[in-house]
Amino acid sequence: MNAPTDISMKTDEVLRVELEVFRQQHRDLDEAIKALEATGTADQLTVKRLKKQKLRLKDVIRLIEDRLTPDIIA
């Protein structure tokens, strides 16, 4: 995952593309974790690392979504 944490210099268009890529990676990790757990012989360390990577992706996704969602002042 090569996601710079500074998203302030990126355009909304670039962020939207990256957002879709990160969402797909998140789904792929979810599928990989499920497949490993379904075998019953999954290495717990590998599963734990994949879950941490998935959480990091989730954080990046939220950062980008927050940047792309306009603030609504009521």
Side-chain angles (χ1 to χ4, degrees), residues 8-67:
S8 62
M9 299 299 290
K10 296 184 179 180
T11 65
D12 286 356
E13 181 77 21
V14 170
L15 289 174
R16 283 187 185 91
V17 170
E18 286 184 349
L19 182 60
E20 286 308 312
V21 169
F22 294 144
R23 284 179 176 160
Q24 182 61 49
Q25 289 176 354
H26 189 269
R27 286 188 295 267
D28 292 345
L29 282 171
D30 193 41
E31 292 297 320
I33 291 167
K34 286 179 185 177
L36 282 172
E37 290 176 337
T39 63
T41 59
D43 175 21
Q44 291 305 310
L45 183 59
T46 301
V47 171
K48 189 173 185 175
R49 286 179 180 163
L50 290 175
K51 286 182 177 183
K52 280 187 176 186
Q53 188 176 356
K54 187 177 161 191
L55 285 173
R56 283 192 299 268
L57 271 173
K58 186 176 181 181
D59 290 341
V60 172
I61 290 169
R62 283 195 178 144
L63 278 173
I64 294 173
E65 287 174 341
D66 286 346
R67 163 81 191 282

